[in-house]
Amino acid sequence: LIMSEDTNANNSTTNDLKAMVAKLGGNTKRFGVLAASDTTQLTVIARNMDVAVGDLFLLPCERGESRFYVFRATEYANVMNRTLDPDDIARNKLTMADSFLAKDLQEQNLIQLKGIVLGYSEYKSSSDSWTFNRPRRLPEHLTDVYRVIPGDSSVAEVVRLLLGEQLGQDGLFIGNLLAGESALDGVPVQIPPFALSHHLAIFGRTGCGKSNMMMVFLRSILEHNQSCSEGKRTDPRCSILAIDPHDEFYSWHAKTGGKDGIRGIVNGYSEEQKKDLVDPFYYLTAKDPENPGLEQRIKLSRADIHPQDVASVLDITDQQISFAERVFSEHGDRWITEVLLLDADDDDQRMDFHPGTVEAVKRRLSFLQRGSHRIFTNYDAQAGIAYDSSLPEIICALEKGRLLVVDTTLMSEMEQFVFTTVVARVLFTLRKALRTAGSAANVEKEIRTAFGNVDEDGLIGMQSLVDALIEKLNSGELPYKEGETLTPPDQLPFVNIVIEEAPSVLNPQRIKFGSVFRDISRQGRKFGIGLTVVSQQVTAIDEGILTQVNTEFNMALGNEEERRSAIRNASADLRGFERELQVMGKGQVILSASYKDIPLPVQAPNYDTT
């Protein structure tokens, strides 16, 4: 049966199934035949052809409804058609090179593929469409098997039709579906824009292509926002705070003669598009920018920092954080200045706390002293030092649907972590206040209350930041209301904050102190705010954070423990993909998500050539 060219399992199929098989090449391009199947594994016998682990195959079947099963090879072996001992044949070929055995048995060489059914697409005549299903059924006996061949436009058309629900449509482009070692041109894989309001994770060792994939992803976000601006889409825009520790996203490879980065895309916009899609800035850096205007030097004020921000990024004890919060409750956004000036030996100043506790807090805040940082401005209203910060503009930009690239090459690790934490906390607090307000008239009151700035109760809180935000609220720059109408939260952009070097701030020790990222991981999706966790390690991330991630980009990982953790935490079953996490090439990624039924192997394109 395996060798017969007369076998035709599709004689009685519907025209739809026949048409699809014809596009795959019919009998002339049949790869093999299903030999055995159970609920965990399929076995396919095929002619002696070059295949690779990870290759995809389609099995048309008419048992029940018209279906196409999607099969993925996880292992294969060379076998013989006749009952011959391959060891004897090998000996004869070695010692009798001219014997008939060396020539005449070529047609006896077959291969045996084993793998898993990812699922099946079933034709629905009522809607004239194909619907993908999880693998709860098996194909019929001796079903024909067709290989998904890269470069064949007809095959690509069939794959797009069968897997359309899984591939995604009108979303954010990641790359093309990967079949074995090659990408399928014309079979794009996308994630929905709303995924940015949930939580994503990008795991992969150094050199696996994370930066290139991020460039492709960021370009797709800009394209989405442009479509929204032009009225081609009605869903919300996307905002992302893209932390760039290597300053790659801004100019990419332009300095070495390659393609420009986000700068090149922005420079291609008209003045009207820049105003609608970019203004007031898209690039923030700790140095003087090359082209001031839409590129700006970043500033954060001491007054922007809350004691909980410090707890999120520093090793600190309960007693130390209690002292910091006590100072904050009395001095509001001047608390850092007060702590740095405080005499630990003065009984009145240290507020009944142990001198060692006071000194420990001062040491932990020493990176904020003048001359010890590049982005923080001093603040002391009593001494005439005014509030000076980019934070209100950053928040307004994210609330209007902006891509912000933040160059952190000249920042210390601590500066980077504090900056990311402050932006995340302020945005999260504002979204919660907006949800609580209920009406445009109550927005200002709820914002002040959320940041602890309540005059009638004598609370100073984050007064300088709040005053700046309220000013922008009333001018319309902070788009929470229009006249007397409150902006519905679901009309605001999907916002995502990238956490680079995530283990440093999302490890179990830090999370236990009430990190804002713990709160966002658990509740952020209700307010349209998501996190992107970027790490070379899966095991170093707090388990509570991992359980909230529902879109994973797993690239090549360094050791078996990391691969096991990636498989365990994936939103979709990665059984059959274990080896790929070790041997995947640059730019190759396994995408798993709670809104996709199956994991998808993807090849991110080279940004320089697309």
Side-chain angles (χ1 to χ4, degrees), residues 102 113 158 592:
L113 293 175
V158 172
S592 57

Side-chain angles (χ1 to χ4, degrees), residues 288-303:
D288 292 328
E290 297 176 5
N291 303 297
L294 297 178
E295 303 158 14
Q296 293 188 17
R297 182 159 184 166
I298 190 171
K299 292 182 292 185
L300 221 64
S301 172
R302 284 181 183 175

Side-chain angles (χ1 to χ4, degrees), residues 544-606:
I545 298 289
L546 286 177
T547 58
Q548 300 298 327
V549 171
N550 62 354
T551 304
E552 298 91 359
F553 300 94
N554 289 304
M555 307 183 84
L557 290 167
N559 60 61
E560 186 176 354
E561 183 180 5
E562 297 300 333
R563 293 192 289 275
R564 283 200 303 265
S565 295
I567 292 169
R568 184 175 63 250
N569 288 292
S571 297
D573 185 6
L574 290 187
R575 185 179 43 143
F577 289 84
E578 294 88 347
R579 288 194 60 214
E580 272 77 350
L581 293 175
Q582 181 178 8
V583 302
M584 284 192 301
K586 191 169 185 177
Q588 296 179 354
V589 55
I590 298 174
L591 167 63
S592 57
S594 60
Y595 45 84
K596 293 183 183 290
D597 292 325
I598 59 173
L600 296 172
V602 181
Q603 174 69 63
N606 185 341

Side-chain angles (χ1 to χ4, degrees), residues 339-589:
V339 169
L340 292 176
L341 294 175
L342 189 147
D343 182 357
D345 293 325
D346 188 314
D347 291 342
D348 294 331
Q349 291 188 40
R350 70 170 188 257
M351 305 175 181
D352 298 326
F353 284 87
H354 190 277
T357 298
V358 176
E359 287 295 341
V361 174
K362 292 183 67 173
R363 285 195 303 271
R364 282 158 175 75
L365 295 177
S366 62
F367 74 96
L368 293 169
Q369 290 179 327
R370 188 172 298 177
S372 300
H373 53 78
R374 294 189 62 89
I375 69 169
F376 295 104
T377 61
N378 294 333
Y379 170 71
D380 190 344
Q382 294 181 4
I385 302 176
Y387 176 73
D388 185 17
S389 175
S390 307
L391 183 58
E393 286 77 19
I394 291 172
I395 297 299
C396 290
L398 292 174
E399 291 292 40
K400 290 190 290 186
R402 297 290 189 263
L403 165 61
L404 301 184
V405 174
V406 184
D407 165 31
T408 62
T409 52
L410 295 181
M411 295 186 198
S412 68
E413 186 179 70
M414 192 58 59
E415 288 176 279
Q416 174 185 322
F417 294 156
V418 170
F419 168 77
T420 309
T421 302
V422 167
V423 173
R425 175 184 55 79
V426 171
L427 190 62
F428 185 52
T429 303
L430 282 171
R431 287 278 179 106
K432 288 195 295 183
L434 179 63
R435 182 70 64 87
T436 305
S439 68
N442 290 333
V443 174
E444 178 175 344
K445 176 184 176 183
E446 292 300 334
I447 289 177
R448 291 193 179 278
T449 301
F451 287 95
N453 178 224
V454 186
D455 287 341
E456 54 266 34
D457 294 335
L459 299 177
I460 301 172
M462 312 292 292
Q463 181 173 351
S464 298
L465 171 62
V466 170
D467 287 345
L469 290 173
I470 296 302
E471 181 180 343
K472 292 188 177 299
L473 173 71
N474 293 329
S475 69
E477 293 178 73
L478 187 62
Y480 287 170
K481 64 178 183 177
E482 186 172 347
E484 299 302 316
T485 303
L486 185 71
T487 302
D490 58 3
Q491 291 184 11
L492 291 171
F494 302 123
V495 180
N496 192 273
I497 297 173
V498 177
I499 312 297
E500 280 280 355
E501 307 297 338
S504 298
V505 291
L506 300 182
N507 61 68
Q509 290 72 33
R510 293 270 163 76
I511 292 298
K512 72 179 181 181
F513 283 108
S515 166
V516 64
F517 299 118
R518 180 184 63 180
D519 295 335
I520 293 178
S521 72
R522 293 175 178 176
Q523 303 180 54
R525 70 191 67 179
K526 294 189 298 186
F527 304 100
I529 302 175
L531 304 175
T532 292
V533 179
V534 183
S535 176
Q536 297 181 35
Q537 298 175 285
V538 185
T539 54
I541 306 298
D542 179 74
E543 192 71 25
I545 298 289
L546 286 177
T547 58
Q548 300 298 327
V549 171
N550 62 354
T551 304
E552 298 91 359
F553 300 94
N554 289 304
M555 307 183 84
L557 290 167
N559 60 61
E560 186 176 354
E561 183 180 5
E562 297 300 333
R563 293 192 289 275
R564 283 200 303 265
S565 295
I567 292 169
R568 184 175 63 250
N569 288 292
S571 297
D573 185 6
L574 290 187
R575 185 179 43 143
F577 289 84
E578 294 88 347
R579 288 194 60 214
E580 272 77 350
L581 293 175
Q582 181 178 8
V583 302
M584 284 192 301
K586 191 169 185 177
Q588 296 179 354
V589 55

Side-chain angles (χ1 to χ4, degrees), residues 320-340:
Q320 290 162 5
I321 193 62
S322 295
F323 169 69
E325 290 179 337
R326 174 76 174 276
V327 178
F328 176 77
S329 68
E330 292 195 10
H331 298 281
D333 52 18
R334 290 188 64 256
W335 76 278
I336 291 176
T337 299
E338 290 293 329
V339 169
L340 292 176

